[in-house]
Amino acid sequence: MELALYGGQPVRQDFLSYGQQWITEEDVQAVVETLQSPYLTQGPKIDQFEQAIAEYAGTKYAVAFINGTAALHGACYAAGIDDGDEVITTPMTFAASANCVLYMGGKPVFADIDKQTYNIDPINIEKLITSKTKAIIAVDYTGQPADLDGIKALCKKHHLVFIEDGAHSIGASYKGEKVGSQADMTMFSFHPVKHITTGEGGIIVTNSEEYAKKLRLFRSHGITKDTLKGDEGPWSYEMVDLGMNYRMTDIQASLGCSQLKRLDSFVKRRREIANQYTVAFHNIPNVVVPFQEAAGESSWHLYMLRLRLDSLSVDRKTIFEALRAENIGVHVHYIPVHTLAYYRNLGYKKGICPNAELYYEEAITLPLFPKMTEEDVQSVIKAVQKVIGYFSKER
Ligand SMILES: *Cc1c(COP(=O)(O)O)cnc(C)c1O
């Protein structure tokens, strides 16, 4: 069959995006109810959403934010990251995982990934720990939990705060327990491509009352009504630190509460689709399917296909363009953070994380979201087989 890239018929007629939310009539009603209520923000829906997420993740506290990036900023504040402090993180992530350190005046230090899981490798982390290291931000890349026990042990040994970027991993499990209770603070994002959405939104789950208090303070200007000093009268409030306005609205939280009811079914469907991909692709010698560590059960935010470029007659860009021409909305997650212009200008050099840099050259993200139909899934499989088969040197 001629490739659509060269004028042939595409595998499908309409474009299939790589990720998409799933909003039902019930979700719409939940939002409408809030719009008709007395509170659009700082009302009861936030508490309800926070309690529901804490319960789901198995933590004592949850603090909601306007988006996941703000939540990570809050976590770095609560961890006490300050000028010159070093925080070790992975380059194979969205820029926000490292930017939050810069917001606090800290210095992100990039530890290379494991060659199989593509998650940050504790062995590489330990080599980078100095007297200035204050925290580790691990990312559960694609929804597969990082080596949480390994990282926890490092944090204990070196007195570091463990922040987990779980933007991909709500609903995933680690050693039989839901992701969220293992690190000191774990962030979940509710951007529309993530597992459940609030439009924009994020949250930190934690078992620490101290962190929860700091997160709430930071989210709302650093202002508290629990005034110990400066008691001006019944109206009294005090600003005790410089915070932000990072509050989630009740409109967002009501959508989140409604979506959360379907999270488990969403994750189940993501796992089914990922399994179909793996069954279809694991025998193709030109690609590597995602390796899954036994300790974790992924929530499958992303399905990454790794190309064996030496067995293909073209580069990743041509394969990518050929799949796009077949109307398959492939993507690439991620350009290693330390190689982005802003980081290059800060002095970060290519070559510091060879595993991540090589993996990036060979990675393609396939569409994966619960609303995909069986035909959608089959069209992705067919297009990958068509394009990879066409460019295989063995052909
Ligand atoms: C989406 C994402 C974020 C940021 O979340 P937002 O809610 O979009 O701000 C951070 N880290 C990772 C790994 C993400 O995928």
Side-chain angles (χ1 to χ4, degrees):
M1 241 192 318
E2 185 63 288
L3 295 186
L5 186 66
Y6 302 141
Q9 277 296 318
V11 161
R12 54 180 295 140
Q13 290 312 309
D14 60 324
F15 185 76
L16 178 70
S17 65
Y18 92 91
Q20 201 186 91
Q21 72 278 11
W22 190 347
I23 302 293
T24 61
E25 195 49 43
E26 201 184 334
D27 293 331
V28 174
Q29 278 316 311
V31 172
V32 169
E33 268 171 41
T34 299
L35 286 171
Q36 291 168 337
S37 79
Y39 293 102
L40 299 187
T41 191
Q42 296 178 276
K45 285 291 166 189
I46 296 293
D47 284 348
Q48 204 181 310
F49 185 52
E50 288 179 341
Q51 279 170 24
I53 293 282
E55 194 177 311
Y56 185 89
T59 58
K60 286 190 192 151
Y61 310 96
V63 182
F65 283 81
I66 190 84
N67 56 56
T69 303
L72 283 174
H73 188 187
C76 286
Y77 168 83
I81 306 306
D82 209 341
D83 285 345
D85 289 344
E86 294 177 3
V87 177
I88 300 175
T89 189
T90 172
M92 190 41 61
T93 185
F94 185 56
S97 314
N99 291 351
C100 57
V101 178
L102 296 177
Y103 298 155
M104 299 305 300
K107 182 184 169 201
V109 175
F110 295 99
D112 206 359
I113 57 171
D114 176 80
K115 282 181 184 173
Q116 276 192 299
T117 63
Y118 316 136
N119 267 325
I120 192 169
D121 186 342
I123 293 172
N124 296 329
I125 295 175
E126 191 156 31
K127 289 182 207 154
L128 296 168
I129 293 173
T130 71
S131 59
K132 288 183 181 168
T133 310
K134 286 286 153 59
I136 296 171
I137 301 179
V139 178
D140 301 321
Y141 175 71
T142 71
Q144 168 159 236
D147 182 352
L148 302 181
D149 277 352
I151 297 165
K152 248 165 101 166
L154 279 183
C155 287
K156 199 164 175 205
K157 182 171 160 195
H158 298 276
H159 308 288
L160 310 175
V161 181
F162 182 7
I163 299 170
E164 183 180 9
D165 178 338
H168 299 180
S169 63
I170 193 167
S173 297
Y174 184 73
K175 299 190 177 171
E177 287 183 358
K178 284 266 158 61
V179 161
S181 61
Q182 295 84 3
D184 293 310
M185 290 177 266
T186 299
M187 183 279 278
F188 299 127
S189 164
F190 307 116
H191 181 277
V193 299
K194 307 290 162 68
H195 292 68
I196 56 170
T197 189
T198 58
E200 294 274 2
I203 209 162
I204 300 288
V205 292
T206 181
N207 279 317
S208 156
E209 187 183 357
E210 188 194 333
Y211 288 144
K213 272 190 178 160
K214 285 183 176 165
L215 290 163
R216 286 181 205 285
L217 188 71
F218 186 69
R219 159 176 88 172
S220 209
H221 311 277
I223 287 178
T224 172
K225 286 188 177 164
D226 311 334
T227 48
L228 299 172
K229 49 190 173 181
D231 198 349
E232 302 284 322
W235 60 87
S236 200
Y237 60 85
E238 187 58 280
M239 182 175 147
V240 295
D241 204 351
L242 184 62
M244 313 291 284
N245 179 356
Y246 275 170
R247 292 187 303 260
M248 181 183 267
T249 67
D250 277 53
I251 306 168
Q252 289 165 291
S254 57
L255 180 55
C257 287
S258 182
Q259 286 258 302
L260 183 57
K261 294 180 195 159
R262 301 204 305 292
L263 174 57
D264 283 335
S265 70
F266 287 167
V267 172
K268 183 165 170 273
R269 178 72 184 131
R270 284 177 175 274
R271 285 176 177 156
E272 281 169 12
I273 298 168
N275 190 52
Q276 279 178 282
Y277 285 164
T278 294
V279 168
F281 304 141
H282 81 282
N283 278 331
I284 302 180
N286 316 82
V287 298
V288 182
V289 296
F291 171 82
Q292 295 298 294
E293 197 78 74
E297 204 188 350
S298 180
S299 56
W300 288 103
H301 171 56
L302 301 173
Y303 191 98
M304 303 303 301
L305 212 51
R306 185 170 190 166
L307 305 175
R308 291 189 192 272
L309 289 177
D310 54 357
S311 76
L312 294 160
S313 58
V314 288
D315 61 4
R316 188 258 314 263
K317 191 162 171 242
T318 308
I319 304 259
F320 185 99
E321 285 166 348
L323 286 165
R324 279 281 177 102
E326 302 293 339
N327 276 325
I328 305 300
V330 287
H331 240 273
V332 173
H333 294 87
Y334 294 93
I335 299 173
V337 177
H338 65 286
T339 69
L340 297 170
Y342 189 82
Y343 282 86
R344 291 201 309 271
N345 292 338
L346 288 176
Y348 293 88
K349 297 264 186 305
K350 230 182 177 166
I352 59 173
C353 295
N355 294 347
E357 290 165 29
L358 178 63
Y359 167 63
Y360 161 67
E361 300 288 339
E362 303 174 340
I364 286 188
T365 316
L366 299 184
L368 174 58
F369 54 95
K371 209 182 177 185
M372 279 174 81
T373 64
E374 198 46 44
E375 293 88 81
D376 290 335
V377 177
Q378 290 308 323
S379 71
V380 174
I381 291 174
K382 213 171 141 190
V384 168
Q385 288 167 340
K386 180 181 173 185
V387 168
I388 297 294
Y390 187 91
F391 290 120
S392 172
K393 282 183 184 167
E394 299 297 316
R395 200 161 72 104

